[in-house]
Amino acid sequence: MNNDLLFKTLSGIAFLSLDFKEYLSEHIICHIFQKGDHMPYRPPVSQTIYFVQYGLVCGVNRTTNVKNTLWIADQASFIVPPLTSSDLFVERIEFLSTTQLIGLESSFLAETFTRFPEAGKLWLGMISRSITESNKRELLLRLPPETRYATLFKQHPQYFISSYNENLASYLNMSLRHFARLKRRFSHSR
């Protein structure tokens, strides 16, 4: 398995010693999913940090038959377990294209703190990136619907190529009907 993208991304967060890279290589778990697959986000899955090697994936929460897309992640993104959520049992991960995830279990991550000095900075960097992405979405949702659509399209055009409209509409907090209207209007104006 080629871990170059993972190590390149991690090296952008903190210096990685050769020993640490080797140690990580021995403990990572690789999963490949097809478009349309999904998995419940319960322990131990919800206690694992994932790295998206390639593909497109989202986290959803169903409440009374309404599907809420909480996050979307694509290549070189981290999926960090919720730090304070007590509602893990309703969330699941859905795969919007063929996706390879590299997993690092949190129990393994905890033991690296005592063994490798760079581990603390690395894990805090991953969490910081996750919080930043969450804050970006919160700011995005404060914009008018047309601006939300245009902003997300400009920042992540790959989402619109292979994802499901229902997931994007939910992620942008708008009805599927309104999303489809914006999509038509936006495609005609280009």
Side-chain angles (χ1 to χ4, degrees):
M1 171 178 44
N2 186 346
N3 299 323
D4 292 344
L5 181 60
L6 172 64
F7 290 129
K8 180 181 177 186
T9 306
L10 292 176
S11 294
I13 298 171
F15 170 77
L16 301 179
S17 66
L18 187 56
D19 289 343
F20 191 45
K21 283 184 183 179
E22 289 174 5
Y23 190 70
L24 281 175
S25 294
E26 293 169 7
H27 290 87
I28 59 177
I29 304 161
C30 178
H31 308 277
I32 297 179
F33 299 92
Q34 300 303 314
K35 181 178 180 176
D37 287 351
H38 59 85
M39 67 179 175
Y41 200 53
R42 297 185 185 110
V45 173
S46 63
Q47 297 167 346
T48 303
I49 290 180
Y50 291 101
F51 176 77
V52 182
Q53 185 78 359
Y54 61 81
L56 190 61
V57 58
C58 67
V60 299
N61 182 318
R62 289 192 183 272
T63 54
T64 57
N65 298 330
V66 176
K67 180 163 118 175
N68 299 312
T69 301
L70 306 172
W71 51 264
I72 299 176
D74 60 352
Q75 184 177 28
S77 297
F78 292 101
I79 301 169
V80 178
L83 301 175
T84 58
S85 175
S86 61
D87 206 10
L88 294 175
F89 301 105
V90 295
E91 191 172 1
R92 72 183 196 170
I93 296 175
E94 292 184 358
F95 299 90
L96 306 177
S97 68
T98 300
T99 303
Q100 180 181 8
L101 294 182
I102 295 175
L104 296 164
E105 292 184 20
S106 57
S107 58
F108 156 74
L109 298 177
E111 83 183 41
T112 63
F113 283 107
T114 55
R115 238 175 131 167
F116 300 98
E118 65 264 39
K121 184 175 181 182
L122 187 64
W123 308 142
L124 288 174
M126 281 188 228
I127 291 168
S128 176
R129 280 184 169 202
S130 179
I131 291 169
T132 299
E133 287 303 312
S134 179
N135 288 342
K136 281 183 187 177
R137 179 172 185 241
E138 191 173 314
L139 292 173
L140 181 70
L141 294 178
R142 294 178 184 184
L143 300 172
E146 293 80 10
T147 309
R148 269 184 257 160
Y149 184 96
T151 302
L152 187 65
F153 186 84
K154 184 177 179 182
Q155 292 174 349
H156 300 284
Q158 68 277 17
Y159 291 1
F160 294 80
I161 294 169
S162 61
S163 71
Y164 299 133
N165 287 345
E166 180 184 8
N167 292 91
L168 284 175
S170 174
Y171 182 74
L172 291 170
N173 198 24
M174 59 180 71
S175 71
L176 187 56
R177 182 183 224 171
H178 190 72
F179 178 84
R181 273 192 302 246
L182 287 174
K183 189 173 183 178
R184 273 193 310 274
R185 188 178 334 147
F186 195 79
S187 65
H188 288 291
S189 66
R190 292 183 16 191

